[in-house]
Amino acid sequence: MSTTSPARRIERAVVTGAAGFIGSHLVDTLLRRGVTVLGIDRRTPQNNDAAAQNLRDALSEPAFRLASGDLVTDEPKRWLEGADAVFHLAGLPGVRPSWGDAFREYLACNVLATQRLMESAQSLRVPRLVLASSSSVYGETVGTGPLREDGVTAPRSPYGVTKLAAERLALAYALAPGSPTSVVALRYFTVYGPRQRPDMAIGRMLSAVVTGQPLVLYGDGRQRRDFTFVTDAVEATIAAAVAPATAEAVNVGGGDSVTVRQVLRHVADVTGKEVPVTADEEQAGDVRTTAADLSKARTLLAYRPSVALREGVERQWAWLSSRTG
């Protein structure tokens, strides 16, 4: 897609989903770099323990303010005035829970919320919106090699469908004639690290070591994933706010696709304990392989992942150990 001049320097940022895993790390990094940050989230430290932990440092910073709100039901305009960039990380995650009646909420949180945010951003002439998309937009990729942004998108789950819809919707707004808001949609590949949601693979493996409760391993363990450490994802996200772009989708991965069995071995090596495992069938929506082609990220974002999987697992284990005592 066509490019334009870089967005202006970020002095004031809005982060939706600020109390979440990636969002809270992004907030902390922006604050360290002197950016004034308004965080938006349905969760608050008063009603959610994870939010309290994730935002503990940020809440002590004068440059940070947290707004409790819902992008589906509240008017986003009141939060975006004067923003140099909006980082849209709010959304409903998870492939397996997205089937059935839950799809209504996925549609609202991932698609309708994005549309309402884009309307507000354009109305207030916000220069740049960075959207959290997902590798789930690609679908099954066995035998195709690393995934390129100009390749086929054929999501295999309702969740993936909503992420692709949100991505295409935001890019459509950016490409509208005279649009003041440019968009970079980041296709994150399996982000992990401290504060990771407990339902995600590496977090589940480490928790199984701590509790002794077996990890449910879906499939044969030969599935491959491109794991991205959260600090690398944050660096790419901040770079996307100032990259020369009008409407772009960009992969953000860890640079290496490994099997689930290899991850289990890393966890065992780091913790000194084997991960207790019980087998179950593959789940609807799960894909066999993810692997990111990072050529575009290197060119557009100057992105190069710096944390290898073993080191990342060590960091996440150290964080979990400090919490469990």
Side-chain angles (χ1 to χ4, degrees), residues 115-299:
Q115 184 268 340
R116 300 185 79 242
L117 192 64
M118 285 303 307
E119 285 281 346
S120 295
Q122 286 203 332
S123 175
L124 294 171
R125 307 190 68 80
V126 175
R128 173 64 52 85
L129 184 137
V130 179
L131 173 72
S133 186
S134 167
S135 62
S136 292
V137 304
Y138 287 112
E140 192 55 75
T141 59
V142 174
T144 63
L147 298 162
R148 289 172 52 91
E149 294 86 350
D150 57 1
V152 174
T153 50
R156 291 277 300 274
S157 67
Y159 166 74
V161 168
T162 63
K163 295 304 285 186
L164 182 58
E167 178 183 304
R168 300 310 307 175
L169 187 62
L171 295 173
Y173 270 89
L175 289 170
S179 173
T181 306
S182 56
V183 170
V184 177
L186 299 178
R187 294 173 177 173
Y188 295 133
F189 281 67
T190 315
V191 182
Y192 72 103
R195 307 178 193 169
Q196 186 185 39
R197 297 194 332 264
D199 62 306
M200 297 185 72
I202 292 178
R204 289 169 53 229
M205 293 176 189
L206 293 172
S207 293
V209 169
V210 171
T211 65
Q213 296 297 313
L215 166 80
V216 178
L217 179 62
Y218 299 109
D220 60 11
R222 294 187 176 90
Q223 308 95 313
R224 305 188 73 90
R225 293 291 180 270
D226 192 332
F227 290 92
T228 313
F229 194 67
V230 64
T231 56
D232 285 331
V234 166
E235 289 301 321
T237 303
I238 294 174
V242 296
T246 296
E248 300 284 353
V250 186
N251 290 337
V252 177
D256 189 22
S257 185
V258 301
T259 69
V260 173
R261 290 185 178 186
Q262 287 175 290
V263 183
L264 286 167
R265 176 46 50 200
H266 280 306
V267 171
D269 290 345
V270 167
T271 64
K273 297 180 180 179
E274 294 295 323
V275 181
V277 170
T278 183
D280 201 348
E281 296 179 352
E282 292 185 20
Q283 301 292 293
D286 287 350
V287 299
R288 193 68 183 169
T289 302
T290 64
D293 184 311
L294 298 179
S295 302
K296 188 173 183 180
R298 284 193 293 268
T299 300

Side-chain angles (χ1 to χ4, degrees), residues 29-114:
T29 303
L30 289 170
L31 290 170
R32 285 195 296 269
R33 296 181 185 181
V35 179
T36 298
V37 180
L38 171 65
I40 305 168
D41 210 298
R42 294 189 299 184
R43 299 158 294 188
T44 69
Q46 291 73 37
N47 66 23
N48 185 281
D49 289 341
Q53 289 294 321
N54 291 351
L55 293 174
R56 182 182 58 187
D57 294 338
L59 289 168
S60 67
E61 295 289 339
F64 178 70
R65 181 166 69 90
L66 179 65
S68 175
D70 188 326
L71 296 173
V72 176
T73 57
D74 295 327
E75 175 51 65
K77 275 187 183 179
R78 58 177 169 163
W79 297 309
L80 305 190
E81 186 73 47
D84 299 311
V86 174
F87 297 93
H88 182 31
L89 276 66
L92 194 59
V95 167
R96 298 182 190 114
S98 66
W99 301 88
D101 290 342
F103 182 68
R104 291 185 180 184
E105 189 173 2
Y106 278 81
L107 194 61
C109 293
N110 295 348
V111 183
L112 180 58
T114 299

